Amino acid sequence: DDADARNKRLAKNLTGFEVTSARGTGQCTCSQPFFGHGCQEGQCPAGEHLDRHAKVDRATEKYSQWEVCAPCESGKFKHFSGNEECSFCPDGHVPLNRTSCVPCASGTVSSRDHPETCTPCPEGSVPNRQTNTCEECTGPTYAFEGDESCRRCFFPALILTGDENLCTPVYTVLFLFASILLAVFVLAIFGRLRVECLKRRLKKLVAARNWKDLHTTQARPLEYGLWQRRACKLLALRKAEVKSRSLQLGVSLDYVFGKLENIYKEKAQQAEWRVDVWGPTTRSGFFVRVRSSGDAVDPESAWPTLSICDHPEDP
C-alpha cells in the first residue's frame, strides 16, 4: 500500500515537486478470494490452485510476484476448495470443468501422456482393461477406429494383414483360386504319368497276348484327368492295331469278347467235357489235340477212358 500512498500524495501535490516517498496504512491489497492481514485468509475454489509466483497487472518493482488462484493445468482437476495443487485424473478419465473426472467414451483411452482428451484407438486396436492404452487385435480378429472390442472374422472371410485392418473374403477367393490351380497342375502331372504307365501296360499286354485285358481296358476321366483324350487315343490306336492283326487271322476280337463268350457259355453246357493231359476238353477238341500231337493213340478208344469234368468258365 506504499505505492497507493505515493499515488495519492502525487495527486494532491500542487507544488510541482517530485514525490519520492510516502508511507501507507500498512494494509495489503488482496486478490480474490484472499483477505485479512497479509492476505493470509481465504482458499482457492474447486477447479483452481494457488499460484505463488503469478505475474499480475498490479505488480510493482518491489512486489513483482503475487499469489493468486489460477485454473488447474490442462488435464488436471481439483474437486474441493483449498490451496493444494491440482491432480491428474485416473487412467481412462478426463477432467470436466476442472472440478471432476468423467470416464472416457467407449473405444477411447486417456493417459498421463494425453490427460486432457480421450483418444479413439486406431484401426486394428482396442482399449485395454485400464483404458489407458490401445492393444492390437490378434488372431482372426480386427477392429475399426473407436471399437470397444475386437471383432471376430468368420470364414470364408479372412483378415487382410499389413497396414490395413480389414475382414474380407478376397483372401478366401484368392486362396480357393490358387488351390484350384494347384489341383489342376497336380492332376495334369498325375495324368501325364498315368499315360506313360498306360503305354507300358498296353505294350506288355500285347507282348503277352493278353487280349481279354486289352479289350476291357478303359481310359477313365478320374484316372487320367486332363490327359483322358490322349489316353483314349492311345488305347484306340493300340486296339485298332491288334484288331487289324486279328482280322488277318479271320476272327475279330470284338466278336470274340462281345459275342463268342456268350455263345460258348450256352454251348459249353450242352457238350461233354473230360480231362486229358492238356486239361478240360470236348470230344472234338480231344480229337484235334491227338492229331496235332502226332501220338499213336486211337482217340475213339481213348476218349471213354478220360475223367468227366465240368466245363471251364473261361472259353
Side-chain angles (χ1 to χ4, degrees):
D1 65 342
D2 293 341
D4 293 336
R6 287 196 299 272
N7 291 334
K8 293 178 180 179
R9 180 69 62 82
L10 182 60
K12 296 179 179 180
N13 183 16
L14 302 178
T15 61
F17 294 103
E18 182 179 359
V19 178
T20 58
S21 65
R23 182 175 296 278
T25 61
Q27 298 294 326
C28 294
T29 302
C30 300
S31 58
Q32 293 296 329
F34 300 106
F35 61 91
H37 181 73
C39 302
Q40 297 297 320
E41 303 295 331
Q43 294 180 335
C44 292
E48 296 183 359
H49 70 103
L50 180 62
D51 187 353
R52 300 183 182 277
H53 304 286
K55 293 183 180 181
V56 298
D57 296 338
R58 290 176 291 178
T60 63
E61 184 177 352
K62 184 176 181 180
Y63 302 104
S64 59
Q65 294 180 337
W66 288 48
E67 294 183 353
V68 298
C69 290
C72 292
E73 296 91 338
S74 177
K76 292 185 177 182
F77 81 106
K78 187 162 73 73
H79 66 278
F80 56 87
S81 297
N83 297 331
E84 291 84 354
E85 291 295 323
C86 299
S87 304
F88 284 104
C89 287
D91 290 339
H93 294 70
V94 291
L96 177 63
N97 299 326
R98 295 187 174 90
T99 59
S100 62
C101 294
V102 293
C104 289
S106 175
T108 60
V109 296
S110 177
S111 62
R112 294 291 179 90
D113 296 333
H114 303 283
E116 65 281 354
T117 58
C118 294
T119 306
C121 288
E123 289 186 348
S125 61
V126 293
N128 64 350
R129 182 174 299 179
Q130 294 77 22
T131 63
N132 59 359
T133 186
C134 296
E135 294 180 341
E136 291 187 0
C137 296
T138 58
T141 58
Y142 69 104
F144 295 118
E145 181 178 344
D147 278 353
E148 182 178 5
S149 59
C150 295
R151 308 183 186 202
R152 190 167 186 83
C153 192
F154 293 96
F155 187 83
L158 295 173
I159 294 295
L160 187 64
T161 56
D163 295 335
E164 300 182 20
N165 181 69
L166 183 63
C167 181
T168 174
V170 173
Y171 266 11
T172 302
V173 174
L174 293 177
F175 175 76
L176 293 177
F177 182 71
S179 299
I180 293 174
L181 289 180
L182 180 61
V184 171
F185 178 76
V186 172
L187 289 176
I189 297 298
F190 178 77
R192 177 62 181 176
L193 294 176
R194 292 298 301 164
V195 168
E196 295 299 323
C197 292
L198 179 63
K199 287 182 180 180
R200 292 193 293 269
R201 182 168 182 267
L202 294 178
K203 186 176 181 180
K204 289 181 180 180
L205 290 177
V206 173
R209 298 177 179 242
N210 192 345
W211 311 124
K212 185 174 182 179
D213 286 349
L214 176 64
H215 183 74
T216 57
T217 300
Q218 297 180 358
R220 298 179 178 86
L222 293 180
E223 186 175 4
Y224 296 96
L226 300 176
W227 294 89
Q228 186 203 8
R229 182 175 297 180
R230 171 71 175 171
C232 289
K233 184 177 180 181
L234 183 65
L235 183 59
L237 289 175
R238 181 62 72 175
K239 286 185 176 181
E241 178 185 347
V242 175
K243 181 178 180 181
S244 176
R245 292 170 57 186
S246 69
L247 290 176
Q248 294 176 10
L249 300 177
V251 61
S252 169
L253 286 180
D254 289 336
Y255 172 78
V256 171
F257 295 111
K259 297 181 181 180
L260 181 60
E261 185 171 2
N262 294 329
I263 296 175
Y264 162 77
K265 290 181 179 179
E266 180 182 353
K267 298 297 183 180
Q269 297 177 2
Q270 303 173 1
E272 180 184 4
W273 289 83
R274 294 177 182 267
V275 180
D276 62 4
V277 293
W278 297 287
T281 181
T282 61
R283 178 184 176 87
S284 59
F286 176 70
F287 281 32
V288 172
R289 288 181 179 180
V290 171
R291 287 196 298 268
S292 299
S293 65
D295 295 338
V297 177
D298 181 15
E300 288 289 348
S301 59
W303 173 252
T305 62
L306 300 178
S307 301
I308 299 176
C309 67
D310 294 331
H311 68 85
E313 295 295 329
D314 188 351

mmCIF file of all heavy atoms in Angstrom, residues 8 37 61 186 280:
data_model
loop_
_atom_site.group_PDB
_atom_site.id
_atom_site.type_symbol
_atom_site.label_atom_id
_atom_site.label_comp_id
_atom_site.label_asym_id
_atom_site.label_seq_id
_atom_site.Cartn_x
_atom_site.Cartn_y
_atom_site.Cartn_z
ATOM 1 N N LYS A 8 -1.556 8.733 -4.211
ATOM 2 C CA LYS A 8 -2.492 9.700 -3.640
ATOM 3 C C LYS A 8 -1.781 11.013 -3.312
ATOM 4 O O LYS A 8 -2.304 12.112 -3.522
ATOM 5 C CB LYS A 8 -3.146 9.134 -2.389
ATOM 6 C CG LYS A 8 -4.078 7.958 -2.671
ATOM 7 C CD LYS A 8 -4.653 7.399 -1.387
ATOM 8 C CE LYS A 8 -5.590 6.218 -1.676
ATOM 9 N NZ LYS A 8 -6.141 5.646 -0.425
ATOM 10 N N HIS A 37 -5.202 -9.717 7.246
ATOM 11 C CA HIS A 37 -3.876 -9.133 7.402
ATOM 12 C C HIS A 37 -2.847 -9.997 6.670
ATOM 13 O O HIS A 37 -2.709 -11.183 6.919
ATOM 14 C CB HIS A 37 -3.525 -9.031 8.884
ATOM 15 C CG HIS A 37 -2.181 -8.405 9.111
ATOM 16 N ND1 HIS A 37 -1.949 -7.051 8.926
ATOM 17 C CD2 HIS A 37 -0.987 -8.943 9.495
ATOM 18 C CE1 HIS A 37 -0.676 -6.779 9.174
ATOM 19 N NE2 HIS A 37 -0.069 -7.920 9.554
ATOM 20 N N GLU A 61 7.753 -3.010 -8.922
ATOM 21 C CA GLU A 61 9.152 -3.444 -8.898
ATOM 22 C C GLU A 61 9.488 -4.122 -7.593
ATOM 23 O O GLU A 61 10.231 -5.102 -7.552
ATOM 24 C CB GLU A 61 10.062 -2.235 -9.120
ATOM 25 C CG GLU A 61 11.540 -2.626 -9.195
ATOM 26 C CD GLU A 61 12.417 -1.421 -9.479
ATOM 27 O OE1 GLU A 61 11.873 -0.335 -9.756
ATOM 28 O OE2 GLU A 61 13.639 -1.579 -9.444
ATOM 29 N N VAL A 186 -1.476 -80.470 -60.349
ATOM 30 C CA VAL A 186 -1.142 -81.800 -59.828
ATOM 31 C C VAL A 186 -1.832 -82.889 -60.644
ATOM 32 O O VAL A 186 -1.218 -83.917 -60.988
ATOM 33 C CB VAL A 186 -1.540 -81.900 -58.346
ATOM 34 C CG1 VAL A 186 -1.389 -83.329 -57.836
ATOM 35 C CG2 VAL A 186 -0.682 -80.963 -57.507
ATOM 36 N N PRO A 280 -9.137 -129.614 -69.476
ATOM 37 C CA PRO A 280 -10.504 -129.900 -69.886
ATOM 38 C C PRO A 280 -10.667 -129.742 -71.400
ATOM 39 O O PRO A 280 -10.117 -128.826 -72.009
ATOM 40 C CB PRO A 280 -11.314 -128.837 -69.133
ATOM 41 C CG PRO A 280 -10.449 -128.402 -68.004
ATOM 42 C CD PRO A 280 -9.055 -128.497 -68.506
#
